[in-house]
Amino acid sequence: SSSTDKELAASGVKDSKLQEAARVLQRSFQVTITDRSPLPVSKKWGALGVINTLFKIYFSINNLRLCQNLIRAVEGSAFPKALNGETVEGRRFKLSELVTYKYFVGRLSLLNSQFTRAERELSFAFERCPRHMTHNKRLILRYLVPVRMALGVFASAQLLQKYKLDYYIPICRAVHAGHVSAFEAELAKHQRLFIRHGSYLLVERSKLIAYRNFFRKVHELHADKTTRLDVSTFKRCFNATGIEMDVDEIECVLANLIYSGYIKGYISHQHGKLVVSKGNAFPPLRDVLGES
């Protein structure tokens, strides 16, 4: 108990110091962001360094709401349009600052379920991060791998092994194959790790993708590509993979997938069937999540 109290007290002191540092940096941020000097000599070119430090503090003290104010300022009309490495009036941002900024904006986009934007920002950060910075590239991949998985793109085993993210290999395979029980087992196995990284909910979301891929594969087993599928067939297939689900549970999962746009169709409760679209019954995941 005494040890716990000391840890809590130490944590409180640390948060207090970080909040004090944030207040000082906020003043620096205001000075740089409101500078009206001509762009070649503007203080705005020093803003990203301050913003990135504020991002780190806000993530540390779990006050992510304040991050949005920083992003709005950067995306404002008065800020240099050089966030993709462009040179504007002879000036450009440091690559290290851009990579860090994109990394944090990508993570914030994930929290707002803006998966397309998150992939765009994190991909920029990963591709521009120098090869020798393996630790930083691994940090970026922790979030880029699951966001791409949500969009239907799966990282290769070679890439994951290179950056010591082997635990993602069976998860990617399970989601791609629609093997729900294997996905659940791997998620449970690495639950603490994902919670520590702040990616648990993001990875867990892929369970819905695993279900979607399972139903798609069952649909593809029908040679005539019928649009009317017996829910009882799904039940037997689930049982064969070690998952015990009754018809009501399966219909609940199907209703969720239909509502979310992962399946185009409807459930006929009277006949115990899933009726899917003749065209694109299982739209590409990127189309489902849309641009953001």
Side-chain angles (χ1 to χ4, degrees):
S1 175
S2 175
S3 174
T4 303
D5 289 343
K6 287 179 180 177
E7 288 176 6
L8 289 172
S11 176
V13 170
K14 179 182 176 183
D15 282 357
S16 177
K17 289 182 176 179
L18 286 173
Q19 289 169 358
E20 183 180 344
R23 284 192 288 271
V24 173
L25 286 166
Q26 270 288 354
R27 291 195 289 272
S28 299
F29 167 69
Q30 289 298 328
V31 169
T32 57
I33 208 72
T34 57
D35 183 44
R36 297 188 178 184
S37 303
L39 270 183
V41 294
S42 175
K43 291 184 176 69
K44 289 186 174 75
W45 294 104
L48 277 192
V50 178
I51 289 170
N52 289 338
T53 305
L54 282 168
F55 276 151
K56 292 174 185 176
I57 292 174
Y58 292 152
F59 268 82
S60 294
I61 62 178
N62 197 28
N63 195 347
L64 305 184
R65 176 180 54 84
L66 295 177
C67 293
Q68 297 302 329
N69 298 332
L70 306 177
I71 295 174
R72 277 194 290 270
V74 170
E75 294 179 348
S77 58
F79 200 79
K81 304 305 176 187
L83 292 178
N84 291 313
E86 302 94 336
T87 299
V88 178
E89 296 193 29
R91 298 289 300 273
R92 62 192 305 170
F93 291 113
K94 293 179 182 178
L95 183 59
S96 58
E97 293 178 342
L98 287 173
V99 167
T100 303
Y101 176 79
K102 297 282 188 175
Y103 166 74
F104 281 112
V105 173
R107 288 190 61 183
L108 288 164
S109 298
L110 287 177
L111 295 173
N112 293 322
S113 297
Q114 297 174 311
F115 296 100
T116 304
R117 178 173 185 180
E119 187 207 19
R120 184 169 62 246
E121 306 290 8
L122 291 170
S123 293
F124 180 101
F126 181 75
E127 291 163 6
R128 305 302 199 287
C129 186
R131 288 185 179 181
H132 68 277
M133 303 291 288
T134 53
H135 174 71
N136 289 349
K137 291 178 85 73
R138 181 164 61 250
L139 288 179
I140 298 166
L141 280 177
R142 281 181 185 172
Y143 307 98
L144 184 55
V145 169
V147 76
R148 281 186 171 168
M149 189 158 52
L151 294 168
V153 180
F154 299 89
S156 68
Q158 182 181 3
L159 177 71
L160 295 174
Q161 288 168 344
K162 178 180 178 181
Y163 290 101
K164 299 179 181 179
L165 296 170
D166 306 64
Y167 52 85
Y168 270 124
I169 296 175
I171 290 177
C172 288
R173 287 174 177 167
V175 174
H176 185 261
H179 201 325
V180 180
S181 59
F183 173 81
E184 290 178 331
E186 289 298 322
L187 184 64
K189 181 179 177 182
H190 301 290
Q191 180 180 10
R192 289 186 178 181
L193 178 67
F194 291 134
I195 290 174
R196 191 164 69 247
H197 293 167
S199 60
Y200 179 79
L201 294 178
L202 173 62
V203 178
E204 185 188 37
R205 183 188 176 95
S206 293
K207 183 177 179 179
L208 203 59
I209 312 300
Y211 274 124
R212 176 256 190 195
N213 290 345
F214 170 85
F215 291 121
R216 186 192 64 187
K217 287 182 180 294
V218 174
H219 177 246
E220 290 173 349
L221 289 174
H222 292 75
D224 58 352
K225 293 295 184 290
T226 180
T227 59
R228 300 173 67 83
L229 302 158
D230 289 326
V231 175
S232 59
T233 300
F234 294 134
K235 186 177 186 301
R236 288 194 298 272
C237 291
F238 272 126
N239 291 343
T241 63
I243 296 179
E244 295 294 330
M245 294 180 71
D246 59 33
V247 169
D248 288 341
E249 288 174 316
I250 294 171
E251 287 188 353
C252 182
V253 173
L254 286 169
N256 194 4
L257 288 166
I258 292 168
Y259 175 78
S260 301
Y262 291 112
I263 297 177
K264 287 186 177 180
Y266 64 91
I267 300 169
S268 174
H269 298 285
Q270 183 179 357
H271 299 97
K273 292 183 181 294
L274 168 68
V275 183
V276 297
S277 168
K278 287 184 179 180
N280 201 7
F282 297 86
L285 295 173
R286 194 175 291 274
D287 293 348
V288 174
L289 293 173
E291 287 295 324
S292 52

